[in-house]
Amino acid sequence: MVKHNLWHAAKQQLEKAEKAAKFSPLFIAQLSQPERIIELSLPFFRDSGKVEVVRGYRIQYNNALGPYKGGLRYHQDVSMDEVKALAFFMMIKNAVIGVPFGGGKGGITVNPKTLSEAELERLTRLFTRGLAPNIGPTVDVPAPDVNTTPKTMSWIADEYSKIVNKKALAVVTGKPIDKGGSLGRTEATGLGGVYALLQVLKKMGKNPKQMTVAIQGFGNVGRYLAYFLQKEGFKIVALSDSNGGIFVPGGIENIDQIQKCKEGKGYLAGCYCIGEACDILNKDKLSGHDISNKEILELPVDILVPSALENVITKTNAPKIKAKIILEMANGPTTFKADEILNKRRITVIPDVLANSGGVVVSYFEWYQNMNNEKWTKKEVFAKLKKKMKKAVNEVWDLSQQQKISLRDASYAVSLKRIEEAHNKNQGKKQ
Ligand code: NAD
């Protein structure tokens, strides 16, 4: 159901953008389906000697701006419709943030938690051999996504390099640092979100100091976002993970301490920390409250950050949201209907395709460093990331002001215009 909705949502966004601006009918027809769909049958040996067959996909949505780029996810629910939609959203994201990549996405329909590491490696290398004729540093550059890791990427880079008989690190991004990865990739999505938010606040004439923030999701993205927001003077008052969360109206003291507490217990609920002591018994001293993942979305805060799952802001809870700014760090956290309600309520939504694009920006930096045999420091990476995020926010903000449209609609307009221009230029070259 969710998968079907995601592709439906992608088509709805495209139709909306098409109504708002003049695009050539040929271009819109081209974007209504991916350019290429690769579907592979992957028979592999389990450790027991039994053969199992799973399906693998790679969707190459559009490459007008450069090589197809997007993650590979390993999950039992991966389907053609899901990867098609995700590839479409990657195309939009890459274009709006201004990296020279098209959109792609892929995956394998498998529950990786049921496989040993040796089985995962065999399957990944088989998948790479199947994809090899259609990927490459200047053709299609996959990256990690749900349940795939830097190690998965290093297997792909290694297998691909054997096939083409030369070291081809730039065939994937998100590799381990000692295998060609970029410094700063781990923090990039969260930090990029902070840069995007700061720039929007600057445009709105608001001072970030002491603005209150609630963050749903405390994984790779939520954790770094919380850490860097706190460093900028924001007051983080609520955090949650899949087991529920905490609300400390006076502000959570130290994000690193919460991370340590979560690592120790395995979940974040009850992590009421004073100094280094994190204990449920501190709850009353901090005037804290335990909150559910539903409640965190409706707290009286300045900024709400969905940073975990898709479709959490719906037509049911959109009327109850109290935050005036929503920073979408998760992919697709707001349904189409909810988005309309938020717009009517004049809530500023910094859309996912803009807010969470820091990860793909640093993926681009990794690809660039590999292609040019360079190695940048973390400081350099962060400075370049900041520049890219600021530029993209400025472009989207200015268009949204000129045309009196939402930041999401402006992001799609900037993105599609860029892709259309590249598309027309490429068509011209072919004639
Ligand atoms: P992650 O797996 O590291 O963390 C996910 C977090 O969400 C965990 O804290 C988990 O406990 C929490 N969670 C799970 N179910 C939840 C629920 N029902 N309610 C509240 N929290 C719940 O994942 P991540 O890399 O941090 O990604 C988070 C989101 O950001 C996803 O939507 C992902 O697609 C998106 N995103 C990630 C990146 C990246 O670079 N990692 C880039 C762009 C977008």
Side-chain angles (χ1 to χ4, degrees):
M1 190 64 180
V2 170
K3 289 163 260 158
H4 170 75
N5 281 343
L6 210 58
W7 177 234
H8 184 61
K11 300 283 269 194
Q12 274 178 316
Q13 280 298 343
L14 185 61
E15 278 164 25
K16 195 172 178 204
E18 188 190 346
K19 276 188 204 137
K22 287 228 171 326
F23 295 106
S24 94
L26 187 68
F27 174 65
I28 291 296
Q30 171 135 21
L31 286 202
S32 67
Q33 287 293 332
E35 283 173 356
R36 185 182 290 131
I37 290 174
I38 300 159
E39 186 171 359
L40 299 165
S41 172
L42 304 170
F44 70 107
F45 278 112
R46 298 295 302 258
D47 293 341
S48 63
K50 202 175 136 242
V51 171
E52 193 163 318
V53 190
V54 293
R55 295 203 84 70
Y57 305 92
R58 183 72 183 168
I59 303 291
Q60 299 183 329
Y61 210 99
N62 183 280
N63 68 352
L65 284 168
Y68 304 101
K69 177 111 196 73
L72 294 174
R73 76 172 45 174
Y74 290 0
H75 195 276
Q76 59 276 20
D77 294 339
V78 162
S79 71
M80 181 69 88
D81 263 5
E82 181 185 60
V83 271
K84 257 163 77 172
L86 294 169
F88 172 86
F89 291 124
M90 276 313 295
M91 169 189 77
I92 298 292
K93 189 186 296 189
N94 292 340
V96 73
I97 197 62
V99 291
F101 289 131
K105 202 87 179 189
I108 303 181
T109 313
V110 70
N111 180 356
K113 292 179 185 130
T114 63
L115 302 183
S116 69
E117 185 164 310
E119 289 169 336
L120 271 175
E121 180 171 353
R122 278 200 292 282
L123 181 58
T124 301
R125 288 184 183 273
L126 177 68
F127 191 30
T128 309
R129 292 196 290 277
L131 292 177
N134 293 297
I135 60 172
T138 58
V139 182
D140 183 352
V141 185
D145 193 70
V146 175
N147 294 332
T148 53
T149 61
K151 189 179 263 171
T152 323
M153 296 304 115
S154 67
W155 291 331
I156 298 177
D158 183 59
E159 191 66 25
Y160 182 82
S161 297
K162 279 188 207 157
I163 294 165
V164 297
N165 209 15
K166 63 174 182 227
K167 204 169 173 190
L169 287 178
V171 65
V172 280
T173 59
K175 299 177 289 294
I177 304 291
D178 62 348
K179 295 208 159 59
S182 177
L183 291 168
R185 173 63 187 91
T186 316
E187 303 93 327
T189 306
L191 182 59
V194 175
Y195 291 146
L197 177 63
L198 284 172
Q199 195 59 14
V200 167
L201 293 178
K202 193 169 168 198
K203 290 280 186 185
M204 293 171 98
K206 286 189 192 281
N207 180 0
K209 297 274 178 273
Q210 294 297 306
M211 283 184 99
T212 54
V213 187
I215 304 173
Q216 185 193 55
F218 197 68
N220 172 268
V221 175
R223 173 192 161 194
Y224 286 107
L225 179 95
Y227 173 80
F228 289 112
L229 281 179
Q230 191 169 57
K231 270 182 83 170
E232 292 292 337
F234 291 87
K235 191 154 113 182
I236 315 296
V237 294
L239 292 172
S240 72
D241 66 12
S242 54
N243 283 281
I246 56 171
F247 176 36
V248 179
I252 288 162
E253 197 181 277
N254 183 336
I255 300 299
D256 274 345
Q257 213 52 53
I258 303 279
Q259 172 64 18
K260 278 190 196 140
C261 174
K262 182 182 155 118
E263 273 168 16
K265 294 201 304 178
Y267 53 89
L268 183 151
C271 285
Y272 293 98
C273 304
I274 299 177
E276 290 190 0
C278 299
D279 199 307
I280 189 80
L281 296 174
N282 288 334
K283 184 164 79 172
D284 289 345
K285 286 185 208 152
L286 293 168
S287 308
H289 309 271
D290 298 336
I291 44 162
S292 69
N293 270 304
K294 185 172 170 289
E295 287 163 339
I296 197 169
L297 300 170
E298 296 169 22
L299 286 177
V301 290
D302 298 314
I303 300 161
L304 172 65
V305 189
S307 190
L309 305 174
E310 68 274 12
N311 293 337
V312 290
I313 302 179
T314 63
K315 63 179 182 196
T316 313
N317 61 8
K320 299 182 204 154
I321 282 175
K322 295 176 193 69
K324 284 279 167 251
I325 298 172
I326 298 178
L327 180 69
E328 289 187 340
M329 295 307 292
N331 280 317
T334 310
T335 66
F336 194 75
K337 284 244 161 69
D339 201 40
E340 286 178 347
I341 297 170
L342 298 174
N343 274 335
K344 279 202 191 108
R345 294 189 56 214
R346 306 184 71 79
I347 293 174
T348 301
V349 179
I350 310 174
D352 49 4
V353 287
L354 186 61
N356 72 26
S357 57
V360 79
V361 170
V362 176
S363 276
Y364 162 57
F365 295 161
E366 177 178 335
W367 177 85
Y368 185 94
Q369 290 171 79
N370 294 158
M371 295 293 274
N372 296 285
N373 215 2
E374 291 180 16
K375 200 89 198 144
W376 301 348
T377 63
K378 199 184 258 196
K379 203 169 156 205
E380 277 175 284
V381 169
F382 287 175
K384 287 177 204 281
L385 171 64
K386 186 174 186 178
K387 208 168 147 197
K388 269 234 163 308
M389 298 303 300
K390 275 175 83 169
K391 184 165 183 283
V393 168
N394 287 345
E395 284 161 349
V396 168
W397 180 270
D398 292 349
L399 188 74
S400 85
Q401 293 294 300
Q402 274 163 26
Q403 300 199 352
K404 303 202 173 357
I405 54 177
S406 70
L407 293 177
R408 189 184 318 277
D409 290 348
S411 296
Y412 275 75
V414 166
S415 178
L416 291 170
K417 190 164 172 289
R418 236 170 232 164
I419 300 167
E420 189 183 37
E421 274 169 15
H423 183 258
N424 291 344
K425 222 161 115 192
N426 296 345
Q427 292 289 105
K429 274 190 208 150
K430 280 184 204 154
Q431 278 160 10

